[in-house]
């Protein structure tokens, strides 16, 4: 038997109903905040991700699904969506058209991580990106939108962690000093931590290993001693606005995030209900990325969230299966095409859900199925009534039934 690939999931219709409902809420939420949906391809040139997410990140180093296509081009299934949004923005030169571009997206991303609860290889992200504003008000808008989305879905026990990484010009000095302060503890670190220290020292700050955290806590220099007054001011302004908006947050000086493009503000939303994989969403500023990928000097900020983690935090009940308003029951299979015709008319004229059985089941089992589908009405096609151009309608909830002329069916349901 061929099975699905580890770390991917099939969603049956009852589970998809939950997602459709979440997406409907998200679409409205984003639109009323002035963000429009962008859809980009799920695969891109590999270089897009290595240049933006970063050569030395876990994502680019070991988690991407990459292949060489028939034209010898290296292609990759997107591991995240920010890089694609920036690529599209640059390609369409959108800064020429509008001073600020606000996008949101919902779609699958792919990372070859070790699957566990809340961590998949094909997962779904929704997120937003605002390109064009360098101001702290924009940071505050993005963070408050992330917070309000989870509130909208009834998630409590939320913590927002926020930090600043300063601008690019301090990154090198801070990384070198960090490395220097920790290299003497090398023999206490595991292989992946040593690797981080060598190649991407900032990442050691958010190690989950308690012993490492202790060493880091006692010895690592504080990034706030490095960032410029201007960046410090920016950070303070962001937190002041969050205070005004009554959005709770904690300043976590160890928060660095796993992607290389960040500058200044970074943040994550954590839920204590999620267990090991506790990050509901994460994001930050990436003021240099548009230029680095060949565009103008355009500042930007955004975040992305895992749909599966939101669903875990929502603790949703399973839905019933697809339901219907009207179930047309055929006494004989020769009437099925006629029933299909009538179903189309009802759907078109009334916009209701109508189900016609194609299994040629007995009346009894069609009736049982109608009940299972929570049909409000069943319409029964039988020989005697049809001879007089009539049909029999049963209200499944109230003990009420009528025999009417087929021609009157629309007005009958309109008055129900
Ligand atoms: P990220 O932190 O790598 O950031 O991912 C964002 C969110 O996607 C995570 O907080 C998590 O909820 C979800 N996620 C990531 N990996 C997995 C996985 N393997 N399984 C399930 N869920 C996962 C980014 O992707 C950035 N592009 C965010 C951003 C947007 N920064 C600026 N704009």
């Amino acid at each position: 038997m061929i099975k699905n690939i580890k770390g991917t999931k099939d969603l049956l219709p009852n589970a998809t109903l939950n997602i459709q409902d979440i997406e409907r809420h998200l679409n409205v939420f984003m639109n009323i905040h002035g963000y429009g949906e962008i859809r980009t391809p799920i695969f891109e040139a590999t270089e897009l991700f290595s240049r933006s997410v970063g050569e030395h990140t876990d994502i680019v180093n070991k988690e991407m699904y990459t292949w060489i296509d028939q034209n010898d081009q290296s292609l990759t299934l997107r591991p995240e969506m920010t890089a694609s949004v920036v690529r599209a923005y640059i390609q369409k030169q959108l800064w020429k058209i509008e001073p600020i571009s606000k996008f949101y997206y919902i779609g699958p991303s792919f990372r070859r991580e070790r699957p566990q609860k809340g961590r998949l290889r094909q997962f779904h992200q929704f997120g937003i990106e605002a390109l064009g504003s360098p101001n702290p008000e924009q940071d505050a808008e993005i963070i408050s939108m992330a917070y309000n989305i989870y509130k909208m879905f009834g998630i409590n026990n939320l913590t927002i962690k926020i930090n600043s990484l300063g601008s690019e010009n301090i990154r090198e000095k801070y990384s070198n000093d960090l490395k220097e302060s920790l290299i003497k503890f090398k023999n206490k670190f595991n292989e992946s931590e040593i690797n981080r220290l060598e190649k991407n020292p900032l990442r050691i700050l958010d190690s989950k290993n308690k012993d490492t955290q202790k060493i880091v806590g006692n010895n690592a220099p504080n990034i706030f001693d490095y960032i410029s007054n201007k960046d410090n001011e920016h950070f303070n302004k962001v937190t002041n606005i969050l205070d005004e908006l009554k959005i709770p947050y904690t300043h976590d000086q160890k928060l660095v995030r796993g992607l290389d493009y960040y500058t200044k503000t970074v943040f994550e939303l954590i839920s204590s209900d999620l267990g090991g994989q506790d990050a509901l969403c994460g994001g930050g500023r990436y003021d240099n990325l548009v230029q680095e990928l060949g565009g103008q000097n355009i500042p930007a900020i955004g975040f992305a969230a895992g749909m599966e983690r939101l669903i875990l935090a929502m603790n949703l009940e399973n839905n019933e299966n697809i339901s219907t308003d009207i179930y047309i029951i055929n006494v004989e299979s020769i009437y099925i095409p006629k029933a299909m015709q009538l179903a189309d008319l009802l759907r078109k004229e009334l916009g209701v859900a109508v189900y016609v059985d194609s299994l040629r089941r007995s009346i009894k089992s069609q009736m049982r199925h109608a009940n299972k589908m929570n049909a409000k009405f069943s319409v029964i096609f039988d020989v005697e009534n049809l001879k007089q151009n009539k049909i029999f309608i049963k209200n499944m909830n109230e003990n009420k039934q009528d025999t009417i002329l087929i021609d009157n069916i629309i007005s009958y349901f309109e008055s129900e």
Side-chain angles (χ1 to χ4, degrees), residues 80 82 111 113 118 120 125 129 257 261-262 279-280 282 302 304 306:
E80 58 107 50
T82 310
R111 295 183 194 175
E113 297 194 75
L120 291 136
Q125 283 190 328
E129 313 291 346
R257 312 257 315 120
Y261 47 62
Y262 292 113
L280 283 168

Side-chain angles (χ1 to χ4, degrees), residues 59 63 79-83 105 109-111 113 116 118-129 150 257-259 261-262 268-269 274 277 279-286 301-310:
I59 296 178
E63 294 170 359
E80 58 107 50
M81 282 141 95
T82 310
Y105 47 77
S109 296
F110 306 84
R111 295 183 194 175
E113 297 194 75
Q116 62 184 81
R119 198 206 270 159
L120 291 136
R121 289 182 170 177
Q122 176 178 336
F123 57 103
H124 295 78
Q125 283 190 328
F126 60 89
I128 59 185
E129 313 291 346
Y150 290 100
R257 312 257 315 120
L259 304 93
Y261 47 62
Y262 292 113
E268 277 183 2
L269 259 76
L274 274 188
Q277 298 302 312
L280 283 168
C281 76
R285 253 193 190 280
Y286 47 95
I301 178 166
F303 79 83
M307 184 71 93
E308 288 79 7
R309 293 191 192 172
L310 168 65

